[in-house]
Amino acid sequence: MKSIAVIDTGYESYDYELELFHEHGYQLIIYNGPARDRKLQLDFAREAAGILVRGTSIDEEALDQMPNLKAIVRYGAGYENIDIETATSKGIRVANVQGYANHSVSDHAIALMFSCIRNLGGNSVLNFGKPARKEVFELHNKTLGIIGIGRIGSHFSRKTSALFERTVAYDPYKTAEYMQANKAEKTDLPELLNKSHVISLHCNLTDETQYLLCEAAFLKMQNKPVIINTSRGPTICEKDLLKALNSDTIHSAGLDVFEKEPPGKDQEMLLKHPKVIFTPHIAWYSDRASYELQKRAADNMLALLSGKHVDDELH
């Protein structure tokens, strides 16, 4: 019986995948060795026809070790850890799961935004009745800037539009009409950086967006904005973010993603900064989103192996 391997585990149950694949003649095998040991993970999946991955790097070296591989599906929307070009050249089909967490991530970004503005992480019973920070502002006369207004960014824009006086968005791949339909005005990046009081990132990680917020970008920020990142960690240069926090260039930062994950000792100064509120890359999660993610990943895998078209296929 051909096998499909889960090489990045972490979900409570794989009952849906087990039943679906068994019904169609595939055995689901689930890696249970040490986490983030790529050599063991790839050895485990060596004979698999399909692999389900989360964060493990699937590059040319990995692909060369799996001669029977026909399909890769990533549990999630991002796919920067998969060498799609090499996979395609080898006849291996690749898909992710798009749109499953539009509500979860946009809700989480709103939670981080309010946590930063209201300083919800910095209070103490010892100072009962006194705000821990004086710089708490209202939103009704402020401008929101959204970088990347695709599936998640558009949900975030529509949900927050009533809170702000103005919402502007930067996304070179979306039209002004699309943005207007999603309660935002199209603008360029320098204008967004200059005018916004809150800046929320919702873009994919590409060569264009890596370190999109760096020292030069922070220096363009005139309104001491709150920075929210629920997209991908390397869209922000953390060294420059820390400098912006220390120099009072920005108000605060709400982070769910980081340059290196899980964060290491060299990132402790950022994580422990009094103007930073962070969560451990969990913006994607809700009970509904988690179920949909696993179900659609399994459905996509079976479709790819069966030669069918899926909307989430990557080329």
Side-chain angles (χ1 to χ4, degrees):
M1 183 180 285
K2 294 179 180 179
S3 64
I4 297 170
V6 175
I7 65 172
D8 293 311
T9 53
Y11 302 121
E12 289 185 9
S13 169
Y14 292 89
D15 289 348
Y16 181 84
E17 293 94 327
L18 280 164
E19 183 175 348
L20 179 71
F21 296 150
H22 181 73
E23 286 178 0
H24 291 84
Y26 292 96
Q27 177 188 13
L28 180 69
I29 57 175
I30 302 171
Y31 174 77
N32 61 3
R36 299 184 179 86
D37 188 324
R38 195 174 87 127
K39 183 179 185 305
L40 290 180
Q41 290 168 301
L42 296 179
D43 285 346
F44 176 79
R46 186 175 297 275
E47 301 301 324
I51 57 172
L52 290 153
V53 305
R54 294 171 76 180
T56 297
S57 174
I58 306 299
D59 54 13
E60 184 173 6
E61 179 187 14
L63 294 169
D64 285 341
Q65 295 179 46
M66 294 179 280
N68 299 325
L69 192 64
K70 301 299 181 187
I72 304 166
V73 175
R74 184 177 183 276
Y75 282 120
Y79 50 86
E80 60 271 10
N81 58 312
I82 301 172
D83 185 344
I84 295 172
E85 184 177 352
T86 299
T88 301
S89 73
K90 291 176 173 288
I92 300 167
R93 301 178 71 189
V94 183
N96 60 356
V97 183
Q98 301 171 25
Y100 75 97
N102 293 342
H103 283 292
S104 297
V105 177
S106 55
D107 287 354
H108 197 91
I110 293 169
L112 286 173
M113 178 183 75
F114 277 118
S115 295
C116 288
I117 293 169
R118 305 295 306 179
N119 194 38
L120 298 186
N123 296 292
S124 167
V125 71
L126 298 176
N127 295 308
F128 195 83
K130 298 179 181 179
R133 187 177 180 190
K134 300 298 184 183
E135 294 174 297
V136 176
F137 59 88
E138 299 176 356
L139 303 180
H140 64 93
N141 59 349
K142 299 297 190 290
T143 296
L144 168 65
I146 300 173
I147 298 177
I149 192 165
R151 292 179 178 86
I152 294 170
S154 60
H155 276 69
F156 180 77
S157 180
R158 294 194 300 273
K159 289 176 181 180
T160 55
S161 62
L163 299 173
F164 290 86
E165 181 177 46
R166 185 184 181 206
T167 298
V168 297
Y170 167 69
D171 190 325
Y173 302 101
K174 300 296 183 183
T175 65
E177 291 74 21
Y178 170 91
M179 292 192 185
Q180 186 176 15
N182 287 287
K183 308 294 186 181
E185 303 170 33
K186 186 176 179 69
T187 191
D188 57 27
L189 185 58
E191 179 74 4
L192 183 147
L193 298 175
N194 181 263
K195 299 296 185 184
S196 300
H197 299 87
V198 175
I199 297 173
S200 191
L201 286 87
H202 299 281
C203 49
N204 293 327
L205 179 60
T206 65
D207 290 342
E208 289 178 280
T209 62
Q210 184 164 7
Y211 290 169
L212 190 66
L213 295 192
C214 59
E215 184 174 25
F218 289 120
L219 290 175
K220 291 183 173 69
M221 299 176 186
Q222 299 300 306
N223 287 324
K224 198 176 174 181
V226 172
I227 305 297
I228 304 298
N229 193 7
T230 54
S231 60
R232 284 292 182 266
T235 57
I236 300 179
C237 175
E238 290 181 355
K239 173 177 65 70
D240 295 345
L241 174 63
L242 189 60
K243 186 186 296 185
L245 288 162
N246 288 333
S247 65
D248 223 24
T249 301
I250 61 174
H251 177 280
S252 53
L255 308 173
D256 185 60
V257 290
F258 306 91
E259 276 192 60
K260 182 176 69 177
E261 295 184 357
K265 287 186 177 295
D266 56 335
Q267 293 161 289
E268 283 186 359
M269 287 183 66
L270 179 64
L271 299 182
K272 293 180 178 179
H273 198 284
K275 297 178 184 177
V276 170
I277 293 178
F278 76 90
T279 51
H281 204 147
I282 55 169
W284 64 273
Y285 180 80
S286 71
D287 49 4
R288 184 206 62 80
S290 181
Y291 174 77
E292 184 174 347
L293 171 61
Q294 286 189 255
K295 179 182 183 301
R296 284 181 50 200
D299 292 344
N300 284 346
M301 173 60 73
L302 187 61
L304 293 182
L305 290 174
S306 303
K308 298 177 181 176
H309 168 76
V310 296
D311 291 339
D312 295 332
E313 187 164 4
L314 304 166
H315 301 281

